[in-house]
Amino acid sequence: TSVRRWAYWSIRDIQRRRYLLRPVGMELFATDGSDCLLIFHKSERQAVFDHIWAARTEALAKIARQGPGGGAERESSAANPPEKRLGQAHAAAVGEGVTVDLTDPTQTSELAAGKWTGRASAKTLLKNLRRRWEHRKISNLQYLIHLNTLAGRSYNDLTQYPVFPWVLSDYTSETLDLSDPSVYRDLSKPMGAQDPKRAEQYKKRFVEWVEPDEERPTPRFHYATHYSSAAYVTFFLLRLEPFTSAHVQLQGGKFDHADRLFSSVAETWQSASRGSLADVKELTPEFYYMPDFLLNVNSLDLGS
């Protein structure tokens, strides 16, 4: 069994998470880019959270009190010491909940005196994020990733996987004119409202809903499905592990029928935007930075 270790000072942020719809998760983010989702008993999570955050604050305060001199915390790399790595992480700038830069004398003095904890409200974090995005300090990709994180979504949980939107609406033309508005999806509307005719069908369902069980009533609804789920994530990413194994597990130990597997971006867009009342799925982040998921690099037998 492998063991992962992080120094307290290397913890960039901690976020409480829901896991299987229960408030029992906690996700750690480290300055080296790694992260980990931990699951606890409901009664234990807050105590563990408080302990880790207090230990982290004390570890950073110790580094701040030591100043530019040595210290055990600095032995990890002479060329890239902790204070430099923490400054490079610059989590505060993107609003991840931590505003630590040990090259800042003000922060260092407050940290050493125990007056600074590094946590901020979600409202403040969102405000910081939006400001940096508006000033082009972070990309659209970074902005959406951080929004997903603040919303409680995580790469470590298929049931709450990060969601990215369809942006284009033309997946059949040989070339695209990106200055032509018609090649883009209407981002002011959800997938269920991209096609006016289908939107009317959803409205009709809502208005004409007849309650089938008076004792256990179901609220009226437009969509009978969701824009993201574990099944949708493995649908898109089934050619890569660990999503291959997750897909097989969801399908009872085998791949789904070939004609139901993801094999065409154009056909999937058609289905999600107008073709089916049971399909309003959005995309996963991998569509915007990892083309490998479109290739069958593991030579899986997906049928024909």
Side-chain angles (χ1 to χ4, degrees), residues 230-258:
Y232 291 166
V233 174
T234 60
F235 169 78
F236 284 126
L237 305 179
L238 72 96
R239 291 167 177 80
L240 296 179
E241 288 289 6
F243 307 100
T244 304
S245 296
H247 171 87
V248 170
Q249 184 177 13
L250 285 173
Q251 295 298 327
K254 61 183 184 301
F255 288 114
D256 198 0
H257 294 290

Side-chain angles (χ1 to χ4, degrees), residues 82-95:
E83 69 273 21
K84 181 178 179 182
R85 285 207 292 264
L86 289 166
Q88 289 172 339
H90 206 45
V94 294

Side-chain angles (χ1 to χ4, degrees), residues 13 58 69 99 108 114 144 223 229-230 251 261 263-264 266 272 287:
D13 195 19
E58 175 55 32
T99 51
T108 300
L144 290 175
Y223 312 125
S229 68
Q251 295 298 327
L261 297 178
S263 60
S264 168
F287 270 80

Side-chain angles (χ1 to χ4, degrees), residues 131-147:
R131 182 176 64 250
R132 287 183 55 79
W133 176 62
E134 290 172 347
H135 288 82
R136 299 180 183 274
K137 299 296 184 181
I138 57 175
S139 67
N140 290 339
L141 178 70
Q142 290 172 306
Y143 182 58
L144 290 175
I145 286 291
H146 286 300
L147 287 182

